Amino acid sequence: MGPKQIRIALSGNPNSGKTTIFNSITGTRQKVGNWPGVTVEKKEGSIQKFGYHLKIIDLPGTYSLTPFSIEEIVARNFVLEEHPDVVIVIIDASNLERSLYLATQIRELDCKVIFALNMQDVARSRGIKIDADKLSQLLDVPVVFTIGNKNEGVDILLKKAIELAESDIELPRTRRVKYSKDIEKCIGNFKTYIENTIGDNLSYNPRWIAIKLLEDDKILKDRVIEKTGANGPGILEQAAIHRSHITNIFDEEPEIIFTDERYGFIAGIVKEVMTTSTKQRIDISRNIDLVLTNRFLGFPIFIFFIWAMFQLTFTLGAYPMEWIETGISMLSGFMGARLPDTMLKDLLVDGIIAGVGSVIVFLPNILILFFCIALFEDTGYMSRAAFLMDKIMHLIGLHGNSFIPMLMGFGCNVPAIMASRTLESEKDRILTILITPFMSCSARLPIYIVLAGTFFPKSAGTVIFSLYLAGIVLSIITGRLFRSTLLRGMDAPFVMELPPYRIPMLKSLMIHMWDRSKMFLKKMGGIIFIGSIIIWTLSSFPKNIEYSTDYTIKMKTAKQSLEEQTPLVREDELRKLTQEYEKETKDLKRKMRTETAEKSYIGHIGKFMAPFFAPIGIDWRGSVALLTGFVAKEIVVSTMGVLYAVEDDESDALKHALRESGMTPLSALGMMFFVLLYVPCLATIATIRKETRSWKWALFSVAYSTLLAWGVAFAIYQGGMLLGFGLA
Amino acid sequence: MNINSSKSSNEVKLSELKEGQTGRIVRVGGQGVLRRRLLEMGLIKGTQVYVEKYAPLKDPIELIVKGYHVSLRVEEAAKVILEKIRQELTDGSEAN
């Protein structure tokens, strides 16, 4: 048998330094996942220390345990149902009163509790002094001082936690949160009633059940009905009687009275344990906010930060991106040269390496982007961004926090959708996820550049800009539409803490960044891998195509005639002949490629889909290109290259070919709008599926965006035709 | 828990306070999640609220309550009723 395992749960307010303590305990040995059934991030870490195997579980940061948000439900259920050996409550010493609100609620549950008074240094610098012994005595809990970001007190905290876990104190202890006389009487009576009727049927503390039922706790009510059978309705009836009794005495809803009384109780404790020196010191954080959320400077600075983030992501990211690209082409070159010419080689080189490679190249961008986001989060600027943007986002029916994911969408939709998990309300999250794909990601840009450059050479910039703008406008319209239909309901109240600015710790930034990037690699690796194989299969089968002419023979003949003539002609003539030969084979190869594409399964699909695309002015070749864009949108350009029979080394060839293909500026415009709006790429769909935890939303997003794309392209193309713009 | 709102004429909505003004909460209106959330964040009867600033677009409001900073939307702040505390402004730069 190995060392004994002790499970320790970390609980605390958001911004209480909980994550910092978690990081400093577990380091990089942490596992990030989701809590079962919900998209709340679950972090766990295991370490060996003091002869024990410690399993640390980071509960979601909450201000309370009233089960309103998913985070609160998750945190409470964990303590109630999973019975951790110890719960450490991280208390922000510089914010004692509000921190104690959560702490007292946890104190009311049946579990062993330790308080970690964190950020004592910040508190001291603000002239706050806390008497830990007194606090410990008043609430009957061990109290340890910690400074998470300096790793101070963390070992003592763990030692105390082990000590407490190993001690055999009776769990339902006496000294708890005390309410006023009338309330206590109510609780007492109701508690006795509960004890008499259900006994041990419900494994929770009877006093706690009484309090929560008096607070009309929906989740607990369901649980009571479920577990106590015939007694259930009676208990709830009793609860209703007591509730109306309290309402009569106080002329206020009982849950409000309980909140009030808890704060009253806390005020009493704070008065006894905390002393504040009257000396006012300079509040650095407040001074920073004088600038950063300033009426005039706030927005320009915000825009600058965002601009800088994008610059960093895309210009700095371009270098490693290039290295990876080189690496990939070296790899596929190497494989191409070494492996025997088999189908497996084709699959490996043209299918998997090319497909997965096209996504892997985004890794540097994603790392940098997530680093910046982590920086915004850890310094506290993120909540300022929400503060600035909330008014605008509220117009779409969203929270200020939704801005960042949407903005990131301009870079890449995948991390953007992943970033939406920072949003508290489920509906906000889904809505943000649904409208984010309309933010024109960087993969769509090459397509615009080709099409706009070809058909609108003089005003390409304006066209591209209006595409981006159209994406934003349509996302707003979509947001409002869904908010009033599918995802109706109040948006979450914007009661948001603006935590003091903090200097971020590199370690925690790195952990943050890596956790999210790892997720990107893992999930995308899988789906892109499969997607690449599918697209490759569709485009390289059937193998035995009947070509209109036999290209192989033609190429052979050309070669033969060159070889035959070689000894007969002069040197300069030979050079000319060789050139001609090269041109001819190139031409033949190109024609063969085009025909292969046309007669492959994907070509058939494209032709099959052609009637669907015809009304919006896209021919079968465009259809195939758009289909392959499903894997990753940048592929559209290279597919067009193949289908419109273009040589790789002629930079303007695609433009010529496009112009000659019968495409008009109008149909090109329609196609660009289609590209802007239609199904997000495979990786994005996989991410939507993962973040919403439902195929329903993923498929809905596909269907909605494709229909919208078709509708818009149709309106542009047909409208334009009517107005007489049809001819180039 | 008995704070008499002696002069009801002195009662204002939180959303009516200007930057730099202070009030004491008389009651928190609204309902459901919002009301509960406000209370849990410490905006309870008798608490002092200082209006730190309005966002550049005039919404939301940043407040200082119980020593920490919190922001509310104007429509949410309208649910919180305060009695104004006449307080000498430190910098004397009251708007209007």
Side-chain angles (χ1 to χ4, degrees):
Chain A
M1 232 184 81
K4 189 177 175 194
Q5 181 179 309
I6 291 180
R7 291 182 313 142
I8 301 172
L10 292 185
S11 158
N13 286 171
N15 310 306
S16 61
K18 189 165 63 70
T19 311
T20 317
I21 290 197
F22 178 74
N23 284 342
S24 81
I25 294 176
T26 61
T28 47
R29 290 162 301 241
Q30 36 180 275
K31 222 176 72 197
V32 184
N34 277 331
W35 291 89
V38 291
T39 27
V40 178
E41 217 161 74
K42 180 184 190 181
K43 285 190 185 167
E44 282 179 333
S46 295
I47 52 159
Q48 308 284 340
K49 205 146 194 181
F50 310 121
Y52 288 89
H53 180 80
L54 304 178
K55 191 172 180 194
I56 318 285
I57 301 105
D58 191 19
L59 299 179
T62 60
Y63 294 105
S64 159
L65 284 186
T66 12
F68 279 140
S69 72
I70 322 172
E71 282 80 2
E72 289 166 344
I73 295 170
V74 164
R76 194 173 90 176
N77 280 351
F78 185 81
V79 178
L80 280 178
E81 312 293 342
E82 309 279 325
H83 305 288
D85 297 301
V86 179
V87 178
I88 297 178
V89 184
I90 316 285
I91 290 175
D92 176 357
S94 61
N95 220 329
L96 188 63
E97 205 169 343
R98 207 204 49 220
S99 304
L100 281 177
Y101 189 78
L102 175 71
T104 51
Q105 284 188 310
I106 288 175
R107 197 69 200 84
E108 285 186 308
L109 296 171
D110 266 344
C111 56
K112 294 175 176 175
V113 179
I114 293 191
F115 286 178
L117 270 180
N118 196 29
M119 301 196 279
Q120 173 69 2
D121 50 341
V122 180
R124 213 175 294 138
S125 76
R126 287 207 206 146
I128 297 169
K129 242 199 232 148
I130 296 171
D131 184 344
D133 293 337
K134 197 70 174 278
L135 180 64
S136 168
Q137 186 198 330
L138 283 173
L139 280 166
D140 194 16
V141 276
V143 175
V144 178
F145 281 112
T146 53
I147 302 176
N149 53 4
K150 289 180 194 146
N151 213 1
E152 275 175 36
V154 176
D155 275 355
I156 302 172
L157 181 66
L158 287 179
K159 255 188 208 152
K160 285 259 182 192
I162 294 168
E163 230 170 73
L164 186 64
E166 292 290 51
S167 70
D168 44 4
I169 44 163
E170 274 287 306
L171 254 184
R173 287 199 284 178
T174 46
R175 198 181 282 274
R176 295 199 176 269
V177 182
K178 290 234 167 72
Y179 300 92
S180 64
K181 221 168 66 201
D182 289 322
I183 300 282
E184 281 293 347
K185 215 169 105 195
C186 243
I187 297 174
N189 289 342
F190 191 30
K191 183 184 139 202
T192 321
Y193 177 87
I194 292 170
E195 278 168 341
N196 292 338
T197 44
I198 51 171
D200 274 344
N201 254 346
L202 216 58
S203 59
Y204 313 141
N205 173 291
R207 179 183 161 91
W208 183 78
I209 298 178
I211 292 171
K212 285 295 135 180
L213 288 181
L214 289 176
E215 284 190 274
D216 204 28
D217 187 303
K218 296 272 177 314
I219 289 180
L220 188 64
K221 271 160 83 182
D222 292 347
R223 207 97 186 116
V224 166
I225 291 288
E226 185 189 311
K227 289 274 169 181
T228 57
N231 286 326
I235 293 172
L236 297 191
E237 205 174 295
Q238 274 294 314
I241 293 170
H242 283 291
R243 276 173 58 80
S244 64
H245 179 63
I246 294 174
T247 313
N248 281 338
I249 300 175
F250 293 93
D251 192 25
E252 184 61 281
E253 288 168 54
E255 47 267 46
I256 305 299
I257 301 299
F258 272 96
T259 310
D260 242 29
E261 295 234 334
R262 265 185 214 118
Y263 263 113
F265 174 77
I266 291 165
I269 293 176
V270 169
K271 204 178 269 171
E272 287 202 47
V273 302
M274 190 171 93
T275 44
T276 324
S277 70
T278 43
K279 204 165 74 182
Q280 269 286 322
R281 314 204 180 198
I282 303 162
D283 188 339
I284 298 170
S285 192
R286 232 171 134 180
N287 287 342
I288 295 174
D289 260 343
L290 282 182
V291 181
L292 292 188
T293 57
N294 179 280
R295 188 173 307 167
F296 305 106
L297 294 175
F299 271 105
I301 294 173
F302 175 62
I303 290 164
F304 170 76
F305 281 152
I306 297 301
W307 175 83
M309 178 174 87
F310 271 88
Q311 276 297 310
L312 221 62
T313 305
F314 292 105
T315 48
L316 195 69
Y319 298 101
M321 200 169 174
E322 221 166 83
W323 304 334
I324 295 177
E325 265 171 359
T326 318
I328 290 167
S329 68
M330 267 165 66
L331 180 68
S332 68
F334 176 79
M335 299 277 240
R338 288 297 170 88
L339 290 176
D341 274 334
T342 56
M343 205 140 64
L344 187 70
K345 172 184 147 181
D346 280 355
L347 172 67
L348 211 60
V349 176
D350 298 334
I352 295 168
I353 295 180
V356 175
S358 71
V359 176
I360 292 278
V361 292
F362 288 117
L363 184 63
N365 291 340
I366 285 181
L367 283 173
I368 297 173
L369 202 59
F370 276 139
F371 183 83
C372 294
I373 297 283
L375 198 64
F376 284 163
E377 275 179 346
D378 288 7
T379 51
Y381 186 69
M382 197 64 118
S383 49
R384 270 72 183 185
F387 179 70
L388 291 171
M389 285 304 296
D390 185 66
K391 171 96 186 187
I392 297 171
M393 297 309 292
H394 195 41
L395 292 176
I396 326 177
L398 280 172
H399 190 280
N401 276 335
S402 296
F403 180 72
I404 296 287
M406 286 180 64
L407 187 84
M408 285 168 69
F410 286 120
C412 175
N413 289 173
V414 172
I417 288 167
M418 278 159 65
S420 71
R421 56 172 51 203
T422 52
L423 301 178
E424 250 189 62
S425 129
E426 176 98 21
K427 279 183 179 171
D428 279 5
R429 193 152 45 211
I430 291 176
L431 188 55
T432 310
I433 288 171
L434 288 178
I435 64 178
T436 298
F438 295 136
M439 302 293 113
S440 188
C441 71
S442 57
R444 287 169 238 189
L445 190 58
I447 313 173
Y448 305 152
I449 291 174
V450 168
L451 289 174
T454 308
F455 294 100
F456 303 93
K458 281 186 194 130
S459 51
T462 320
V463 169
I464 293 173
F465 178 75
S466 47
L467 282 163
Y468 276 83
L469 204 64
I472 296 168
V473 171
L474 283 166
S475 75
I476 292 173
I477 294 171
T478 303
R480 298 208 67 139
L481 179 73
F482 288 174
R483 189 44 117 185
S484 55
T485 54
L486 287 172
L487 295 162
R488 201 180 302 169
M490 277 195 307
D491 37 348
F494 187 76
V495 186
M496 182 185 69
E497 185 184 359
L498 295 165
Y501 287 104
R502 287 189 188 121
I503 297 169
M505 289 168 69
L506 189 64
K507 184 175 161 192
S508 115
L509 288 176
M510 292 315 234
I511 290 176
H512 231 108
M513 172 183 86
W514 180 237
D515 277 347
R516 289 175 179 171
S517 309
K518 205 164 60 186
M519 220 142 36
F520 168 80
L521 280 183
K522 252 198 277 185
K523 305 294 166 184
M524 300 317 119
I527 198 97
I528 291 295
F529 182 80
I530 295 164
S532 311
I533 294 176
I534 293 173
I535 291 286
W536 174 83
T537 313
L538 288 177
S539 54
S540 46
F541 285 93
K543 275 291 164 201
N544 48 344
I545 295 174
E546 265 186 47
Y547 293 104
S548 51
T549 45
D550 198 327
Y551 295 105
T552 339
I553 289 188
K554 273 194 173 169
M555 273 188 265
K556 235 178 232 164
T557 330
K559 198 173 178 191
Q560 261 172 13
S561 80
L562 178 72
E563 275 163 5
E564 276 163 19
Q565 297 202 22
T566 308
L568 310 173
V569 294
R570 285 203 317 270
E571 203 173 313
D572 52 334
E573 269 179 81
L574 178 66
R575 208 175 297 131
K576 208 174 132 207
L577 279 175
T578 317
Q579 266 172 9
E580 263 169 31
Y581 161 74
E582 271 166 9
K583 192 161 174 282
E584 198 185 340
T585 32
K586 236 184 195 175
D587 214 46
L588 283 170
K589 271 188 191 159
R590 191 178 68 196
K591 278 189 184 143
M592 188 171 161
R593 266 216 318 260
T594 316
E595 212 176 321
T596 315
E598 191 177 344
K599 290 189 173 159
S600 67
Y601 287 125
I602 205 156
H604 287 300
I605 296 173
K607 290 208 162 156
F608 177 74
M609 301 283 281
F612 172 79
F613 286 105
I616 57 175
I618 296 172
D619 66 1
W620 74 268
R621 288 172 291 196
S623 319
V624 174
L626 291 174
L627 277 179
T628 55
F630 187 58
V631 174
K633 287 196 171 171
E634 51 273 63
I635 295 180
V636 171
V637 173
S638 60
T639 313
M640 285 198 296
V642 173
L643 293 175
Y644 290 104
V646 176
E647 285 307 324
D648 303 327
D649 46 358
E650 293 170 37
S651 58
D652 278 341
L654 181 57
K655 291 185 177 180
H656 289 302
L658 281 172
R659 255 185 238 125
E660 279 156 24
S661 73
M663 202 183 249
T664 62
L666 188 63
S667 58
L669 194 66
M671 185 156 173
M672 281 189 278
F673 271 94
F674 196 86
V675 167
L676 166 72
L677 301 170
Y678 86 125
V679 278
C681 66
L682 209 54
T684 306
I685 295 166
T687 319
I688 295 178
R689 145 83 186 89
K690 193 174 159 282
E691 294 298 321
T692 58
R693 305 186 63 81
S694 101
W695 276 112
K696 200 186 81 193
W697 284 119
L699 294 176
F700 175 77
S701 169
V702 171
Y704 175 77
S705 55
T706 309
L707 279 176
L708 183 69
W710 196 86
V712 170
F714 182 82
I716 289 172
Y717 185 67
Q718 297 295 341
M721 291 290 265
L722 279 178
L723 295 173
F725 294 119
L727 302 167
Chain B
M1 286 282 130
N2 263 326
I3 287 153
N4 296 321
S5 44
S6 47
K7 278 175 263 168
S8 61
S9 60
N10 207 17
E11 284 185 7
V12 289
K13 291 176 183 167
L14 173 54
S15 55
E16 289 164 0
L17 286 195
K18 297 192 180 77
E19 273 181 28
Q21 289 186 320
T22 308
R24 183 175 290 119
I25 297 180
V26 177
R27 64 179 172 275
V28 176
Q31 38 187 275
V33 183
L34 171 65
R35 186 172 190 210
R36 197 71 187 276
R37 187 57 90 224
L38 289 173
L39 293 165
E40 285 174 349
M41 297 292 277
L43 287 127
I44 54 166
K45 204 197 287 177
T47 308
Q48 269 206 26
V49 178
Y50 173 84
V51 177
E52 171 81 353
K53 72 164 61 124
Y54 281 77
L57 300 175
K58 305 287 172 218
D59 191 4
I61 314 176
E62 179 179 350
L63 310 169
I64 301 179
V65 180
K66 295 188 188 298
Y68 79 98
H69 294 239
V70 65
S71 69
L72 300 183
R73 285 191 182 129
V74 170
E75 51 176 305
E76 294 163 355
K79 307 267 161 64
V80 180
I81 309 299
L82 310 164
E83 53 175 348
K84 242 188 200 172
I85 298 175
R86 287 252 164 261
Q87 210 183 34
E88 57 306 336
L89 290 162
T90 40
D91 54 354
S93 66
E94 196 175 349
N96 293 345

